[in-house]
Amino acid sequence: MADQAFVTLTTNDSYAKGALVLGSSLKQHRTTRRLAVLTTPQVSDSMRKVLETVFDEVILVDVLDSGDSAHLTLLERPELGVTLTKLHCWSLTQYSKCVFMDADTLVLANIDDLFEREELSAAPDPGWPDCFNSGVFVYRPSVETYGQLLRVAAEQGSFDGGDQGLLNMFFSSWATTDIRKHLPFIYNLSSISIYSYLPAFKAFGANAKVVHFLGRIKPWSYTYNPETKSVQSEPQDPTMVHPEFLSLWWDIFTTSVFPLLQQFGLATDPHSHLTVEDVSGAMSHLALGETPAPAQPSVSSEERKERWEQGQADYMGADSFDNIKRKLDTYLQ
């Protein structure tokens, strides 16, 4: 369908690698819709050419930044301000309906049925289920809606400093008005949910259609060995609870995306943060050079409780999967 599209956004070359894997996964699962990617000027010309080989449309947009340092500090994610650039997706009026997907999502099955949903359809956020997660949502491009969103962004800002807070303010009836706009969680299975409610993941995870790599540590931050098809990580890394998702991401990267990066001379470009160690070993070791976030220092039980309430649990340390699982096992026994 030429008037419907999957849309994603990349604001730098690192996220472009995520977008390329996302686009490739959509194609692997035989989507019948067009693929569009919004890029900002920070994406290099070479990377834009690579994107053009996977996406039907590569659209240059300006950066929108909330400048909301107070709320972004609460999230401890100051880089999320530029995610307001996502609002440009409503300007794509060449399409009648779109599904927006963050560049850190991965498609595990055909999801064209999402186009049967109406604006604004999204899955609940694991941190606060009365809010939707803005990593995957169905919407209708509209000049009017686009203008209203920009106005709200300028006049009211966002309660979290990023796009998710703003969109939940704008589409405030999502939680209570129409259950048909609540996407099943399998369309946006977040990494956080996997280890905060492990029994549910074991019961329903096999039905997942989209996995969302939330948090600072992204798939392209890891070291991967394509010979053993294994991802290496630090101990207690929560996103490694189910390494098959990361392995799948890297499998698509090495088979579909890496050859394109080589073709356009990006595979050994230091500015792309991609290094290939032991080139003579035919890609025996790939690493994308982003440093994982350090574990948070120990805090009092009261401070820890407050951080949980703010969605800032120490998933790399005291609140790691291993510790949570140990307590769950004790409780279940």
Side-chain angles (χ1 to χ4, degrees):
M1 294 197 178
D3 67 333
Q4 297 182 347
F6 286 100
V7 179
T8 190
L9 164 70
T10 177
T11 53
N12 56 48
D13 279 14
S14 291
Y15 268 83
K17 298 182 181 77
L20 288 165
V21 170
L22 169 61
S24 299
S25 69
L26 282 162
K27 286 188 168 183
Q28 283 186 10
H29 293 289
R30 302 182 181 281
T31 180
T32 60
R33 269 59 175 193
R34 289 175 65 81
L35 304 182
V37 57
L38 304 174
T39 69
T40 63
Q42 286 71 33
V43 177
S44 67
D45 290 340
S46 297
M47 185 61 78
R48 198 168 289 117
K49 288 174 180 164
V50 179
L51 290 165
E52 288 171 355
T53 67
V54 173
F55 290 84
D56 299 299
E57 276 199 283
V58 178
I59 303 156
L60 183 64
V61 296
D62 294 326
V63 174
L64 299 177
D65 194 331
S66 71
D68 192 346
S69 59
H71 289 140
L72 291 170
T73 299
L74 283 177
L75 278 176
E76 298 184 356
R77 297 291 300 281
E79 76 277 13
L80 289 182
V82 297
T83 60
L84 286 182
T85 307
K86 187 183 294 188
L87 300 183
H88 285 303
C89 72
W90 266 272
S91 69
L92 305 182
T93 53
Q94 64 269 42
Y95 301 114
S96 63
K97 188 185 290 186
C98 296
V99 174
F100 185 92
M101 304 185 73
D102 278 349
D104 58 353
T105 58
L106 177 67
V107 171
L108 309 175
N110 185 286
I111 54 172
D112 286 359
D113 58 305
L114 285 178
F115 289 90
E116 298 170 11
R117 306 271 180 160
E118 286 303 324
E119 181 177 85
L120 186 287
S121 290
D125 187 85
W128 193 261
D130 278 348
C131 291
F132 57 83
N133 183 277
S134 61
V136 178
F137 59 84
V138 183
Y139 75 99
R140 286 190 176 275
S142 160
V143 172
E144 182 181 1
T145 304
Y146 180 49
Q148 290 173 347
L149 282 165
L150 292 179
R151 201 153 43 244
V152 170
E155 296 175 359
Q156 300 179 40
S158 163
F159 67 72
D160 68 356
D163 66 275
Q164 183 160 303
L166 175 68
L167 292 177
N168 272 277
M169 289 166 59
F170 189 83
F171 296 100
S172 58
S173 65
W174 175 87
T176 56
T177 302
D178 188 352
I179 193 64
R180 292 171 297 181
K181 294 183 179 180
H182 287 221
L183 296 182
F185 200 54
I186 59 172
Y187 288 95
N188 191 350
L189 185 69
S190 70
S191 54
I192 291 176
S193 69
I194 292 174
Y195 51 83
S196 63
Y197 190 18
L198 188 62
F201 179 81
K202 288 180 176 177
F204 307 113
N207 299 321
K209 295 191 174 186
V210 178
V211 63
H212 189 180
F213 298 98
L214 286 174
R216 285 190 184 93
I217 305 175
K218 301 303 181 186
W220 51 89
S221 304
Y222 292 89
T223 301
Y224 178 76
N225 187 330
E227 289 185 345
T228 60
K229 294 194 173 181
S230 60
V231 179
Q232 299 174 18
S233 70
E234 297 295 324
Q236 292 189 327
D237 179 357
T239 62
M240 285 297 290
V241 176
H242 299 282
E244 66 270 22
F245 290 146
L246 278 173
S247 294
L248 178 59
W249 189 97
W250 272 93
D251 183 57
I252 294 174
F253 177 83
T254 54
T255 58
S256 299
V257 175
F258 184 75
L260 294 173
L261 297 176
Q262 283 185 311
Q263 180 183 339
F264 287 88
L266 287 171
T268 57
D269 180 358
H271 299 295
S272 71
H273 304 292
L274 177 67
T275 62
V276 182
E277 301 174 9
D278 190 14
V279 176
S280 61
M283 277 182 10
S284 65
H285 200 62
L286 292 179
L288 285 163
E290 289 186 6
T291 305
Q296 294 184 18
S298 59
V299 295
S300 68
S301 58
E302 189 61 34
E303 287 176 311
R304 187 180 174 194
K305 178 183 175 184
E306 288 179 4
R307 291 190 177 188
W308 267 94
E309 291 172 347
Q310 294 171 0
Q312 298 175 25
D314 181 14
Y315 293 119
M316 297 296 290
D319 306 313
S320 69
F321 166 72
D322 288 340
N323 290 339
I324 292 172
K325 185 176 184 299
R326 196 174 297 118
K327 291 183 180 180
L328 277 173
D329 289 343
T330 302
Y331 174 77
L332 292 173
Q333 289 169 3

